[in-house]
Amino acid sequence: MLDSTLGELQAALAAGRISSVELTGLHLERIRALDGKLNAFITVDEDTSLAQARAADARRARGEAGPLTGIPLAHKDIFCTRALRTTCGSRMLEHYRSPYDAHVIEQFERAGAVQLGKTNMDEFAMGSSNETSYFGPVRNPWDAALVPGGSSGGSAVAVATRMAPAATGTDTGGSIRQPAALTGVCGLKPTYGLVSRYGMVAFASSLDQGGPIARAAADLALLLNVMAGHDARDSTSLERPKEDYTRELGLSLRGMRIGLPGEYFGEGTDPGVLACVRAAIAWFESQGAHTVPIELAHTALAVPVYYVLAPAEASSNLSRFDGVRYGHRAKDYADLLDMYCRTRAEGFGVEVQRRILVGTYVLSHGYYDAYYLQAQKVRRLIAGDFAAAFGKCDLILGPTAPSTAFAIGAKIDDPVQMYLNDIFTIPAPLAGLPALSIPCGFDAKGLPVGLQIMGPHFAEALMLGAAHGYQQATDWHRRVHGWLQRAKPDDLMNIDIFFDLMPVAGDAQLGHRLHADAVAAASRTPTFLALLAEWVGGLRPPLGMFGALRSKEGRVDLKRGGLMPIVSIARTLALRVGSTARATPDRLREVAASGRLSETDATTLAGIHADLMTRVLRQQLIDLEEGVRPSSRVAVNGQPRNAMRSLARQLRTLDEIMNGLRGAVAG
Ligand code: GLN
């Protein structure tokens, strides 16, 4: 069920095979199990979501079902919702509860969708890595040490990990497409003006556009059908007849002209990304499309132009957060001016402050002509490049981003490096054009690569048709990380553990032995079992996790299942008591002080941990020496990863946790 497309969910709900309450509950459970690690959601309110699901079931029973009735969707926390707070990823709006719904939210409500929660994002949508959120970074499910892209990173991760069937996002300079690319999902930025900006917290009004994030192009089309539409409350909302964006699904690619801009295939783009994109283009050619070289000569100027214009508009839009009207207000201040200054210094993070400063500067007297006006002129040239190109081709294909996901922390202190990520996604919004990203393969590190499809204004149906065709012939969009692939809905308790289970090696024999040892060891630590049982939700020890694991031997790879309990013992104890996601020293002290973890437990666990880690390490070394695929986790999609590095990282984490446990008990 969690892997279903929206179309399949519609059918299942219509046929009564599942109720909205069940479906919503399944996703909420999934969020509970996974999101401690990924941080994709800022706000989840199970009662609200389930109440909406009950209402949806009742509507269906009355025969009043709409196109999305009962389907739970996650919303980027930039869309104002009455039911859930709207933070925009900022301390400024940490407690903000909107008195109205955004137009997009209203449209989804009319269609019957259920709100699953509000997703994490870069603060005020400013960022390409989701690290600028006041609520902490979102992690990439393909490798938790990497960023998921931004600013709609929470939505992309929720969809990639099946915590939500689909989600909303917004794109100003790439914030739907780039995170979609970096997490292996699909995202569409519609033509400017197609989706109302009413109730979407404003960043750069001439660029901002809401759009869908989903697992397949066909799902994007269904969602756009709901999201698009004229709204008099947004003065830039376009008045055009309603369109059915699914109408070109199944179109023939024969004779389609595909423009390839030289500027998108040059140096500076990872060879691994280019290889996947070229292979996708070859597939389009195999279907009878032909490629046309085109020139988008001003591409290199897009980033500087954007980073003048977007901050300029942001500096004006964000002036409303002054501590008077709504949002955060500083506690201590001398006078009104002091109140403004302190409020904004406290409420906004570093990146947002940087944008406001840049924006105010480029709009200021004496600099306006030199920066802002120049940037506006170049924006016209960029739009002109596209207009000329679309005289020669129907669609433009290229990479969505120059690289796959990068490490958390790698670029956050270097704004220029960070901004360069957006080189291929910024041009389309500058020209108001629609653009989408779909998965098209994996690089040598096993990370997803995005293919970007751009089209002329209002070419969404055509673009979606082309993307759908590609997805009928390929399965990149269906791939999930190994640990997720194995996780069935009823394996929820195991999912969390798979995530930690990176360095598992060895044969099934070793797996069996480790597994048996773990069970035996665990039975010597009754307190632990009690805690574990609490965590898995009412299952009684020793039938809780271990029982579940054994009963699933048919489905769970035993090589991994073997080590799973041990790794999870350490992690579970440290992380899950009190259901917190992070094993900070303070948290551990708290656990110890609560008396729920005895000294014997901690010592036993430390012993198991040391013993097993030594064995795994040894096995891993043997595997590496013998050239054996170290494990499926370290060989994603047939691409070997740096096994030793990931192992070392895992060991470090475990060591930290175990030291923390020892310290907690001693202290
Ligand atoms: N990464 C770009 C920025 O930081 C785009 C963000 C967006 O599209 N909202 O502004």
Side-chain angles (χ1 to χ4, degrees), residues 230-531:
H230 177 247
D231 172 23
R233 296 165 302 185
D234 169 4
S235 58
T236 58
S237 168
L238 295 165
E239 264 192 279
R240 0 180 33 247
K242 265 273 186 202
E243 269 183 68
D244 177 8
Y245 295 100
T246 64
R247 69 176 188 275
E248 297 282 9
L249 302 181
L251 90 176
S252 159
L253 296 166
R254 190 153 299 284
M256 182 180 276
R257 297 167 305 161
I258 292 180
L260 301 180
E263 295 78 5
Y264 282 53
F265 291 85
E267 269 172 44
T269 302
D270 282 0
V273 168
L274 286 179
C276 293
V277 171
R278 288 214 175 91
I281 292 166
W283 179 85
F284 280 93
E285 286 180 303
S286 77
Q287 301 302 300
H290 37 87
T291 56
V292 190
I294 56 162
E295 204 188 349
L296 296 174
H298 297 93
T299 300
L301 295 177
V303 170
V305 164
Y306 174 90
Y307 281 98
V308 169
L309 296 181
E313 295 185 28
S315 73
S316 160
N317 273 326
L318 269 58
S319 65
R320 73 192 69 182
F321 301 106
D322 56 5
V324 176
R325 284 167 270 204
Y326 52 92
H328 178 73
R329 179 188 295 177
K331 282 213 168 48
D332 303 309
Y333 46 87
D335 53 24
L336 184 63
L337 189 62
D338 193 38
M339 192 278 284
Y340 289 150
C341 295
R342 283 173 194 265
T343 295
R344 289 166 68 81
E346 290 170 8
F348 291 138
V350 176
E351 183 61 27
V352 174
Q353 292 185 17
R354 176 163 33 236
R355 305 276 178 121
I356 293 173
L357 288 172
V358 169
T360 310
Y361 180 81
V362 300
L363 287 177
S364 60
H365 182 70
Y367 297 100
Y368 180 91
D369 290 350
Y371 294 103
Y372 185 76
L373 215 57
Q374 280 306 108
Q376 289 290 23
K377 288 179 185 165
V378 180
R379 181 176 188 175
R380 280 298 279 273
L381 296 176
I382 291 170
D385 285 351
F386 278 109
F390 285 123
K392 294 190 213 149
C393 64
D394 304 306
L395 297 176
I396 296 176
L397 264 57
T400 305
S403 75
T404 52
F406 46 92
I408 293 178
K411 300 186 182 180
I412 194 71
D413 296 324
D414 187 345
V416 174
Q417 274 310 309
M418 188 68 92
Y419 297 166
L420 283 172
N421 264 301
D422 303 337
I423 175 106
F424 301 139
T425 49
I426 278 177
L430 284 174
L433 295 169
L436 63 76
S437 178
I438 52 172
C440 69
F442 294 86
D443 72 356
K445 287 174 280 182
L447 298 170
V449 174
L451 170 73
Q452 183 168 220
I453 303 182
M454 296 184 275
H457 296 118
F458 311 117
E460 282 83 357
L462 183 71
M463 293 156 55
L464 288 164
H468 180 69
Y470 178 71
Q471 295 189 329
Q472 296 300 100
T474 58
D475 74 342
W476 305 117
H477 63 296
R478 265 192 281 275
R479 304 274 184 103
V480 285
H481 199 288
W483 65 274
L484 276 166
Q485 212 146 34
R486 271 183 309 279
K488 299 285 178 306
D490 52 352
D491 283 341
L492 273 176
M493 62 197 76
N494 303 340
I495 292 173
D496 194 36
I497 302 149
F498 272 122
F499 196 88
D500 290 321
L501 199 67
M502 299 190 192
V504 184
D507 50 23
Q509 287 283 313
L510 177 70
H512 279 293
R513 274 201 318 276
L514 294 179
H515 185 248
D517 287 359
V519 175
S523 63
R524 294 198 300 271
T525 57
T527 321
F528 162 70
L529 276 183
L531 289 171

Side-chain angles (χ1 to χ4, degrees), residues 98-306:
S98 168
Y100 61 91
D101 281 327
H103 183 248
V104 162
I105 300 293
E106 286 174 357
Q107 298 281 86
F108 277 121
E109 191 176 308
R110 233 169 268 145
V114 168
Q115 292 173 24
L116 198 52
K118 304 292 286 288
T119 57
N120 205 345
M121 53 180 286
D122 279 301
E123 186 177 8
F124 285 102
M126 297 172 190
S128 312
S129 66
N130 233 297
E131 292 167 285
T132 74
S133 168
Y134 174 63
F135 300 90
V138 179
R139 292 175 181 275
N140 191 314
W142 294 87
D143 183 338
L146 307 183
V147 305
S151 64
S152 314
S155 288
V157 169
V159 174
T161 55
R162 280 61 178 145
M163 289 194 282
T168 53
T170 61
D171 194 310
T172 304
S175 278
I176 289 176
R177 293 160 286 153
Q178 186 253 13
L182 270 47
T183 58
V185 298
C186 313
L188 166 71
K189 183 211 94 79
T191 303
Y192 183 75
L194 213 57
V195 172
S196 167
R197 291 182 295 107
Y198 177 78
M200 211 174 89
V201 179
F203 162 15
S205 309
S206 75
L207 298 155
D208 296 345
Q209 192 60 196
I213 295 179
R215 291 198 288 265
D219 286 356
L220 294 178
L222 287 174
L223 293 163
L224 188 61
N225 274 352
V226 174
M227 294 176 86
H230 177 247
D231 172 23
R233 296 165 302 185
D234 169 4
S235 58
T236 58
S237 168
L238 295 165
E239 264 192 279
R240 0 180 33 247
K242 265 273 186 202
E243 269 183 68
D244 177 8
Y245 295 100
T246 64
R247 69 176 188 275
E248 297 282 9
L249 302 181
L251 90 176
S252 159
L253 296 166
R254 190 153 299 284
M256 182 180 276
R257 297 167 305 161
I258 292 180
L260 301 180
E263 295 78 5
Y264 282 53
F265 291 85
E267 269 172 44
T269 302
D270 282 0
V273 168
L274 286 179
C276 293
V277 171
R278 288 214 175 91
I281 292 166
W283 179 85
F284 280 93
E285 286 180 303
S286 77
Q287 301 302 300
H290 37 87
T291 56
V292 190
I294 56 162
E295 204 188 349
L296 296 174
H298 297 93
T299 300
L301 295 177
V303 170
V305 164
Y306 174 90

Side-chain angles (χ1 to χ4, degrees), residues 1-3 25-27 29-30 33 484-498 536 539 543-545 547-553 555-556:
M1 201 45 80
L2 290 170
D3 265 328
L26 218 53
H27 286 94
E29 205 176 331
R30 181 100 167 160
L484 276 166
Q485 212 146 34
R486 271 183 309 279
K488 299 285 178 306
D490 52 352
D491 283 341
L492 273 176
M493 62 197 76
N494 303 340
I495 292 173
D496 194 36
I497 302 149
F498 272 122
V536 289
L539 290 167
L543 294 172
M545 178 172 301
L549 275 176
R550 266 177 300 186
S551 69
K552 287 183 203 309
E553 276 178 7
R555 277 193 278 154
V556 175

Side-chain angles (χ1 to χ4, degrees), residues 527-528 531 573 591-592 594-599 601-602 605 661 665:
T527 321
F528 162 70
L531 289 171
L573 268 175
V591 172
S594 73
R596 300 164 88 196
L597 176 64
S598 74
E599 187 165 348
D601 286 344
L605 285 167
L661 279 172
V665 172

Side-chain angles (χ1 to χ4, degrees), residues 608-621:
I608 302 170
H609 163 249
D611 177 37
L612 285 162
M613 281 302 128
T614 319
R615 284 205 255 166
V616 172
L617 187 57
R618 205 179 299 132
Q619 183 62 46
Q620 193 95 27
L621 285 169

